[in-house]
Amino acid sequence: MAEGDGVLGDGTELWLTNGSATLTKLKGLMSVNRPALTLAKVESTDQDSGKTKEYIPGHADVGELAATLKYEPGSATDLLILEHLSSREKRAFKIVTVEEDGTTQDNTGTVFLLGYVPDNAPLGGIRTATLTGQPGAITQAATA
């Protein structure tokens, strides 16, 4: 594959920490974003700005984590998510992303879960659930 051709998402993983502080891979992951950092802009215009507004970088905000999973009530993944959500704790998590050359990167940080919403059980369709969370700063490193 030529550089810049894009990467298939196949092989991406999402891991959450259980109540015993063990990172556990979620089964049935269909999609997950890698939350991005956004900077606020703070106006710093003064009398010497030549009638042009000036800005400096402000606080950073890490966007929400959003994932779609196959929904299997009572499965190990379902129970892990429900336990993590009800704990109201910030816990370690990891997203494994696949690079263009097939190597992987671990994106790690902490997250508290905001919601876990199963679909409305479509007739003849696969059941899914949407998971959302608020991470803190995320670091990225090659998978060991």
Side-chain angles (χ1 to χ4, degrees):
M1 173 184 300
E3 185 173 338
D5 284 347
V7 179
L8 295 176
D10 300 2
T12 300
E13 301 172 1
L14 176 58
W15 296 63
L16 292 179
T17 304
N18 65 18
S20 302
T22 302
L23 270 173
T24 304
K25 180 180 171 182
L26 300 185
K27 301 290 184 183
L29 180 67
M30 298 173 75
S31 67
V32 63
N33 69 324
R34 183 177 70 182
L37 190 66
T38 305
L39 293 179
K41 64 181 184 179
V42 176
E43 186 178 346
S44 63
T45 308
D46 60 30
Q47 295 296 330
D48 297 320
S49 296
K51 297 182 182 178
T52 302
K53 289 185 176 185
E54 295 179 351
Y55 299 91
I56 59 172
H59 290 146
D61 184 25
V62 179
E64 285 187 6
L65 171 75
T68 303
L69 302 116
K70 294 177 183 175
Y71 179 61
E72 297 181 35
S75 68
T77 291
D78 182 52
L79 297 176
L80 169 62
I81 293 170
L82 291 172
E83 187 278 326
H84 189 160
L85 181 62
S86 66
S87 76
R88 298 176 171 230
E89 296 175 340
K90 287 183 181 181
R91 295 183 180 175
F93 83 108
K94 173 172 74 171
I95 300 171
V96 178
T97 55
V98 181
E99 300 296 320
E100 190 171 28
D101 64 1
T103 61
T104 58
Q105 300 283 323
D106 288 347
N107 302 271
T108 58
T110 60
V111 66
F112 63 92
L113 298 182
L114 298 168
Y116 179 53
V117 182
D119 64 13
N120 59 358
L123 182 62
I126 190 167
R127 299 244 16 222
T128 62
T130 303
L131 176 67
T132 56
Q134 182 59 59
I138 298 172
T139 58
Q140 180 174 319
T143 303

